[in-house]
Every structure is written in C-alpha cells, then in structure tokens.
Amino acid sequence: MSTRHSRLPSEMTVERIVRTVAETSLDVREGLAGRRGYEDEENPSGEKQLAADLWADELFEERLLAIESVAAYASEERSGVVEADRTANGDGRYHVAIDPLDGSSNLRTNNTMGVILAVYDSPLPARGRDLVASAFVLFGPLTTMVVAVDGSVTEYVLERGSGGVEMRTVTEELTLPDEPTIYGFGGRVPNWTADFEAYVREVERELKLRYGGAMIADVNQVLVYGGVFAYPGLESHPKGKLRLQFEGNPVGHIIETAGGRSSNGERSLLDVPPERIHQRVPVHVGNTGLIDRLEAALDG
Ligand code: FBP
C-alpha cells in the first residue's frame, strides 16, 4: 500500500479489502468476551466451533462481500465459497479467503490469536502464486497487522480513530533477520516422522523454543527474531493440520516476501497444487537455510 506513486484502482481495492479486515478485526477483538463457549457445530475440518468463530465469520463475510470488486468469500469455518451478488459487485476480481480466528483454542486461556487474510486474483481453490495480498492481525498486548503486498511486508499497529481504524506504520520493508534465534513445532512428538524428529533434534540445540498454539503468533516470532515454524506432516496425518488456502498460502507468501522460505517439505507452499477448499498441507516457514535443511532432512 505504497504512497510513492498515484495508486492503481487495483491497489486501492486491495487497500480497501485490507482496511475492512483491519477495522472488522478490532470489532471482533472487542466482541470476544461473551463468545468463548463452544457451539454444537463443527467446521469442515471437523473441529468444534466457538461462538466467536461463527460470529466473526459472519461479520467478515458481510463486510467483504459489500466491496464491489470482491467476487467471492471463503472461510475456514464454512464448507462452500460464497459468490458475490453479481449485479451489485462490478468486476468481481478478487477471491478472499479468511481464517476468522486463528489459534481460537487460545481464547479460553486468554492467549494470543488473530485473523488471517488471503486475497487471490483467481477462483478458489487457488495457487499461492495467485495471491495479490496476504495479511494477519495479531491480538497480543497490542493489535498489530502484518501485510504483504507489492513485494514488501509492512507492520502496522491498529487503533481506533475518530474516522474508524487507524493503521499506524511501525515497520516497513520487514525482512527476516539473518541470524535465526527461535523455533516452534506443532503436533505431538510421538506423532512426528523419524526424519522430522531428526531435524528437530539438530535445531533444538541451536535455537530457543517459542510455541504458543496460534500459528500467526509463532510466525510473527520468526518474522521478528528469525528462525523456523512448522506444523509438519504427522504419522497419523501425513498432510498435517493446517489449511492451504487459509493458513499455508498466506503465511508462506508473507515469509517469502520477507526474504525467507516456505515449504510443504518438498517445494514452496505457493506452488502446491490447489485441490480442495479445505485441503491440509504440512507447513514449514522460516529462514532459507533452515528450510533448505528441513527439505534435505525430509528427503531422507
Ligand atoms: P485454527 O485455530 O484456525 O483452527 O488454527 C489452527 C491452529 O490453532 C494454529 O493456529 C496452531 O498453529 C495450531 O492449530 C495449534 O495446534 P495444536 O493445538 O495441535 O498445537
């Protein structure tokens, strides 16, 4: 969302999508308190849904489909893609995928969580290479938003202003530090493959552990301190836990735009063929050297 030259209509639209998610995320954060209980529903991945998951999903759907160039909306919390009402929505160019509450299991324990946005310019499911913008909003001590667009990553602090959300730039051209210091790996140790465990045994001797149960909070540690985050393929679940369209692609895009690497164990997450809206994928992101070593380790 550069200010360097007069912005193209497409940039203004992407900016409008990003701002709408920023504004709505503040509303979501303020409405979490009374919505910490589980509903009798499950999402398409078979996970129990919190009242907050369903409420946030509806809020994002309503506000994003009201943007004229949003063609479709999909979310981790619902099975199908919602097509925009063609008559109302002009060129319907962008296909938006949202994880309305990443790390939602942390709500009950009042730990970090947030929102993930992926803006594709092709119908869903789409390849990560079709992303025009990705972002996550992190509910930590502050509410921050990290946005990858136009080849660079920017971090903002989000605050309420008289005219709606204020996005105060705190870091521009965000890149991973060369010297990695932290790691975080999901899944239970007995469920790790032998190759992945061998890799972990090496890395844990070099780096400090940081794992909090919300991917975007753990990935933000990697962005700031350098290192590696993974939710790998497991013996019981070879495709891992995380979803390509809503989690793998946007986080892979952010880390790669910040000079790091992403991988499903073999190739960049952004090159993983899209098959289904809720397909899972092993997610590994971090400093290039650490991901190169991971791929070599998994290559057995
Ligand atoms: P959702 O909360 O969006 O379902 O996300 C999945 C997630 O919570 C990730 O944020 C996190 O990395 C992972 O699952 C934690 O899994 P586990 O509880 O197995 O460590």
Side-chain angles (χ1 to χ4, degrees):
M1 305 199 308
S2 61
T3 57
R4 281 187 295 280
H5 59 274
S6 60
R7 283 168 297 132
L8 302 165
S10 60
E11 285 177 320
M12 287 152 77
T13 308
V14 168
E15 182 171 332
R16 184 149 171 234
I17 294 171
V18 168
R19 280 188 176 282
T20 300
V21 168
E23 176 96 44
T24 308
S25 298
L26 287 183
D27 298 337
V28 166
R29 181 169 193 166
E30 287 155 17
L32 291 174
R35 296 181 170 92
R36 299 168 78 189
Y38 281 104
E39 301 288 308
D40 298 337
E41 323 251 347
E42 280 187 356
N43 70 16
S45 305
E47 294 155 348
K48 277 174 69 59
Q49 291 174 307
L50 292 166
D53 286 321
L54 296 169
W55 169 70
D57 182 26
E58 274 158 29
L59 218 48
F60 284 114
E61 181 210 1
E62 181 200 319
R63 297 195 183 167
L64 287 164
L65 286 179
I67 300 174
E68 71 277 348
S69 59
V70 171
Y73 172 86
S75 126
E76 187 189 284
E77 299 304 334
R78 62 178 69 204
S79 46
V81 176
V82 185
E83 305 288 341
D85 164 1
R86 281 271 156 255
T87 48
N89 286 21
D91 66 352
R93 175 168 175 196
Y94 296 111
H95 303 257
V96 176
I98 288 263
D99 180 352
L101 282 179
D102 178 59
S104 52
S105 60
N106 278 355
L107 182 54
R108 293 177 65 201
T109 57
N110 193 26
N111 271 287
T112 48
M113 50 192 297
V115 177
I116 310 177
L117 165 68
V119 184
Y120 299 87
D121 66 358
S122 62
L124 301 170
R127 275 176 359 126
R129 298 285 171 208
D130 299 329
L131 282 164
V132 292
S134 305
F136 61 73
V137 177
L138 183 55
F139 302 159
L142 308 172
T143 305
T144 55
M145 187 174 201
V146 168
V147 181
V149 66
D150 292 346
S152 77
V153 178
T154 309
E155 184 191 29
Y156 305 87
V157 166
L158 304 185
E159 285 158 329
R160 282 258 174 247
S162 49
V165 62
E166 272 179 22
M167 296 178 67
R168 188 156 49 80
T169 305
V170 282
T171 318
E172 286 191 299
E173 311 289 342
L174 211 167
T175 49
L176 270 69
D178 294 338
E179 276 317 304
T181 60
I182 61 105
Y183 73 94
F185 300 130
R188 294 179 54 251
V189 175
N191 228 343
W192 287 342
T193 63
D195 292 342
F196 183 72
E197 183 160 2
Y199 171 76
V200 175
R201 295 298 160 246
E202 276 183 32
V203 167
E204 68 186 357
R205 303 176 70 79
E206 303 159 17
L207 308 176
K208 285 188 297 187
L209 173 62
R210 289 287 182 278
Y211 186 82
M215 174 183 66
I216 51 166
D218 296 331
V219 166
N220 205 44
Q221 297 256 15
V222 170
L223 269 173
V224 175
Y225 293 126
V228 55
F229 166 85
Y231 206 106
L234 303 169
E235 294 292 359
S236 59
H237 294 83
K239 294 285 184 201
K241 175 181 184 179
L242 303 176
R243 279 62 47 150
L244 180 67
Q245 298 296 306
F246 307 103
E247 294 160 318
N249 277 339
V251 160
H253 181 232
I254 290 167
I255 291 286
E256 292 196 14
T257 309
R261 271 206 67 201
S262 79
S263 178
N264 68 341
E266 289 164 14
R267 69 180 82 167
S268 165
L269 288 166
L270 307 184
D271 295 319
V272 172
E275 290 146 7
R276 296 177 313 287
I277 288 287
H278 295 281
Q279 79 191 74
R280 298 179 195 264
V281 67
V283 169
H284 315 85
V285 293
N287 287 73
T288 299
L290 287 163
I291 300 299
D292 291 349
R293 283 168 58 192
L294 168 105
E295 287 184 342
L298 296 188
D299 207 8

